[in-house]
Each structure stands twice: as C-alpha cells, then as structure tokens.
Amino acid sequence: MMWRITCLALIMSLVSCSHKIVESGKASYYADKFDGRQTSNGEIFKQRKKTAAHRTLPFGTKVTVKNLSNGRTVKVRINDRGPFVKGRMIDLSKKAAKKLDMVNAGVADVEIKYKGGSIK
C-alpha cells in the first residue's frame, strides 16, 4: 500500500512540475517618454516599477533577468509586448535597469529565467 502511495505521489509531482526555461540575448530599457502610457496588457507603464516587455511570454509571467557582465539580477513581471528593435530580447523599466547597473550602457547582454509550462 505504501509503495502505491509513493508511486502515485511521484507521478503527480512529475505531471504538475514546471521546469525553468533560460534564454540569452540583449536587454534594453524604456525611454522616459513611455512613462504614463498604456502597456499592451492595459496597465499604465511606470518607470519606478520592476516590469518588462517580451514578445511572446504571457502577461504576468515573473522573469529573473541577469546581467551577464556583472552578475546582478532583478525579478520583473511581463506586462507589455516588445522590444521592437531587431536583436533585442527584453525591454526593462528604468528601475529594473538600475538594479542591473545597465542604465549608462543602455543595452546589456542578459540571461532570463522563468518557469515553463507543465510537463505532459
């Protein structure tokens, strides 16, 4: 009986577990002129919040962004679409860019991590 319960628990954990997905690319951050404008999900964009734009991730996805040149990380929430500049993977709010120490550079090589969908 205990063996059955253990097997069932293992199967359920494998089915419901989500795995981490890692992407690498370039990050930039929003210009100040976008502060106060509406984002793709309907929110008002605020530079002082830790948010970001990604082309495909669902709105509300929590993403950890790591600046590969200095190792700094920040957690952001996806609330917009973009970036629309070729070669860029993610656009960050200024607060998030400051946490990564990339404001002066404007663009940084980053790695993003987030939880993927369920294994089925």
Side-chain angles (χ1 to χ4, degrees), residues 2-17:
M2 186 59 128
W3 181 81
R4 283 184 181 172
I5 294 171
T6 303
C7 286
L8 182 60
L10 178 61
I11 290 169
M12 289 181 67
S13 69
L14 288 174
V15 170
S16 64
C17 286

Side-chain angles (χ1 to χ4, degrees), residues 1 9 15 25 29 33 36-37 41 51-52 60-61 63 70 94 107:
M1 182 66 170
V15 170
Y29 68 95
K33 71 179 183 179
R37 293 189 185 178
N41 77 347
T51 60
T61 301
V63 177
N70 61 22
K94 191 175 271 184
V107 178

Side-chain angles (χ1 to χ4, degrees), residues 7-116:
C7 286
L8 182 60
L10 178 61
I11 290 169
M12 289 181 67
S13 69
L14 288 174
V15 170
S16 64
C17 286
S18 58
H19 56 285
K20 286 275 187 182
I21 297 174
V22 179
E23 294 180 35
S24 295
K26 298 224 179 268
S28 54
Y29 68 95
Y30 285 87
D32 287 332
K33 71 179 183 179
F34 293 103
D35 199 51
R37 293 189 185 178
Q38 191 172 26
T39 63
S40 296
N41 77 347
E43 291 179 28
I44 300 302
F45 175 70
K46 296 177 180 142
Q47 287 280 30
R48 68 182 187 276
K49 300 286 185 181
K50 292 186 285 185
T51 60
H54 190 277
R55 286 186 195 94
T56 59
L57 286 175
F59 295 135
T61 301
K62 302 282 192 333
V63 177
T64 299
V65 183
K66 179 180 182 180
N67 185 334
L68 295 176
S69 69
N70 61 22
R72 289 185 175 207
T73 63
V74 65
K75 290 183 181 176
V76 296
R77 180 179 52 83
I78 302 299
N79 72 338
D80 203 6
R81 291 290 168 235
F84 299 108
V85 175
K86 187 177 180 176
R88 301 214 184 136
M89 176 179 59
I90 193 166
D91 270 340
L92 304 168
S93 64
K94 191 175 271 184
K95 182 170 186 171
K98 285 180 181 179
K99 294 273 185 189
L100 295 178
D101 193 23
M102 62 170 277
V103 173
N104 288 335
V107 178
D109 290 317
V110 298
E111 177 182 271
I112 67 169
K113 291 183 183 180
Y114 54 93
K115 288 187 178 180

